[in-house]
Amino acid sequence: MSFDSGRLAERRRAAGLTQMQLCGQLNVSVATLRRWEAGRFEPGATALGQLATHLGTTMRYLLRLTDNSSGALAVMFSAEEVQLIFDYRAAGEGWKGMLAECLRDAHRVMDVCGLKEAAPL
């Protein structure tokens, strides 16, 4: 098995994340991520799993065991839903609380009105 630093950088860019944003989500330093992307160091198993999850791919893809970059998120969610997950994770705690309350309010309104799904904007 061999970690592919190029695939890491490619998946980060495809997810629309800067190095700083991904580091914030993983709680690692920018220097560490830069070393991983440059191929100077390899992430450990835990970090590798977190990278795969945050980038919507699999550890197998990052380790060059498969050429299929689609991870669990890509199978379970649309690209728009995956982007919403990434945006939510990048939001500060105050924003997360506000967003959760907005969603709860929207569901209450839908229940009261008997709606099965929200009307398109």
Side-chain angles (χ1 to χ4, degrees):
M1 287 185 291
S2 178
F3 172 72
D4 190 325
S5 59
R7 286 184 174 188
L8 169 59
E10 171 259 321
R11 292 303 303 167
R12 178 185 54 77
R13 286 190 294 273
L17 296 171
T18 64
Q19 287 180 330
M20 185 78 75
Q21 289 169 322
L22 182 57
C23 288
Q25 292 175 8
L26 298 172
N27 199 28
V28 299
S29 71
V30 174
T32 295
L33 180 61
R34 286 184 179 152
R35 288 179 189 122
W36 291 342
E37 287 190 355
R40 289 194 295 263
F41 292 100
E42 294 186 2
T46 301
L48 188 63
Q50 291 173 334
L51 285 165
T53 298
H54 283 276
L55 299 176
T57 191
T58 64
M59 290 178 19
R60 291 178 55 79
Y61 179 75
L62 294 175
L63 292 171
R64 281 193 278 171
L65 297 174
T66 182
D67 289 329
N68 181 0
S69 65
S70 295
L73 288 179
V75 172
M76 295 170 38
F77 303 110
S78 69
E80 184 178 66
E81 290 168 324
V82 170
Q83 187 60 53
L84 285 170
I85 292 167
F86 287 133
D87 291 345
Y88 177 81
R89 286 180 175 171
E93 290 305 313
W95 282 105
K96 288 179 182 179
M98 186 179 72
L99 290 168
E101 188 58 36
C102 287
L103 285 172
R104 284 191 290 274
D105 288 345
H107 283 283
R108 283 187 212 109
V109 169
M110 289 169 53
D111 288 343
V112 168
C113 295
L115 300 173
K116 294 187 181 192
E117 64 180 64
L121 300 175

